[in-house]
Amino acid sequence: MKGNKVGLNGSGVVAANAADGVLIDSSSNDNTIGGNTAADRNVISGNTGNGVHIYNDVQGICQYSNTVSLTIGNYIGVDTSGNISAGYGNGGSGVAVNEINSGDSCGGGSVYKHVIGGDSTGQPNLIAGNAQDGIRVYQSSNENFGSDVFSVSVLPNTIYGNSNLGINLAADSTNTGTADTDLSPNVINNFLMSFPATNANYYINENALAQKSNNL
């Protein structure tokens, strides 16, 4: 998906969709939204839901995974010049990644291997002016059926001027932006490769800063 205006008309004026701008739904794999050049850039703004919504819904329908997407180089919540303007912010978060499971007996589903932003020229997204978080990664708190969101990489992006957090990670079954429980500092699984995980931030122990020194 490249070079589109989503929530705007061809002239770049808000003509909002009454839901998410871009939805990557259950059992969807190998998607790319945007690219490295200005021509590849999508402008995803003014929608009443999230700008980009990547999720897996396993509420009774036994759909197991949503894997591998790349969201790079987009303007999300701003006008076509990349500025915050009234009416252009999405009504939800700029990018939302989540799994929902309210009791499906199929054993749960998963959302994994999604990348938002990038290190190379043209790959960072500009995410600003949205009514909730810049990026929200969350999941159902129903651990009995294998709720799990993992391997979601948030690489360099420009995120500012959103109404809530820039980046929000939470076990948040109600999608309020607030964790259901205090997870304490980045819970870590003793069995790192175990499946399923039970917290959106389960595989992270703590931030690590690498310092390079020069020998004189």
Side-chain angles (χ1 to χ4, degrees), residues 14-136:
V14 173
N17 295 294
D20 299 318
V22 177
L23 177 64
I24 300 178
D25 204 341
S26 306
S27 299
S28 180
N29 307 301
D30 299 314
N31 299 284
T32 300
I33 304 168
N36 294 3
T37 70
D40 293 336
R41 176 189 303 139
N42 300 291
V43 183
I44 306 170
S45 299
N47 303 286
T48 61
N50 303 293
V52 177
H53 190 183
I54 301 165
Y55 88 116
N56 190 48
D57 184 348
V58 291
Q59 297 185 62
I61 54 177
C62 302
Q63 295 190 11
Y64 291 99
S65 65
N66 180 327
T67 68
V68 188
S69 73
L70 183 63
T71 303
I72 55 173
N74 301 288
Y75 284 176
I76 303 174
V78 295
D79 62 25
T80 55
S81 298
N83 298 313
I84 294 177
S85 297
Y88 281 80
N90 295 291
S93 296
V95 179
V97 184
N98 73 287
E99 181 273 344
I100 302 171
N101 191 331
S102 63
D104 174 45
S105 61
C106 299
S110 55
V111 178
Y112 60 96
K113 292 185 179 179
H114 296 285
V115 178
I116 304 167
D119 295 303
S120 299
T121 300
Q123 289 186 338
N125 299 288
L126 172 55
I127 305 171
N130 299 288
Q132 294 183 355
D133 302 307
I135 297 173
R136 179 179 293 187

Side-chain angles (χ1 to χ4, degrees), residues 56 58-59 98-104 108-109 137-149 170-176 178-183 196-202:
N56 190 48
V58 291
Q59 297 185 62
N98 73 287
E99 181 273 344
I100 302 171
N101 191 331
S102 63
D104 174 45
V137 181
Y138 68 101
Q139 66 178 50
S140 164
S141 60
N142 190 332
E143 300 176 8
N144 296 326
F145 297 98
S147 304
D148 50 288
V149 176
D172 180 14
S173 58
T174 56
N175 188 18
T176 59
T178 302
D180 295 328
T181 58
D182 184 354
L183 302 180
T198 56
N199 297 311
N201 204 14
Y202 208 68

Side-chain angles (χ1 to χ4, degrees), residues 1-20:
M1 175 183 170
K2 298 180 179 181
N4 298 284
K5 296 183 178 70
V6 182
L8 311 178
N9 64 21
S11 300
V13 176
V14 173
N17 295 294
D20 299 318

Side-chain angles (χ1 to χ4, degrees), residues 7 14 27 32 60 77 99 109 150 152 155 165 196 205 212:
V14 173
S27 299
T32 300
E99 181 273 344
F150 59 97
V152 177
L155 301 182
L165 299 178
N205 187 14
K212 180 179 179 180

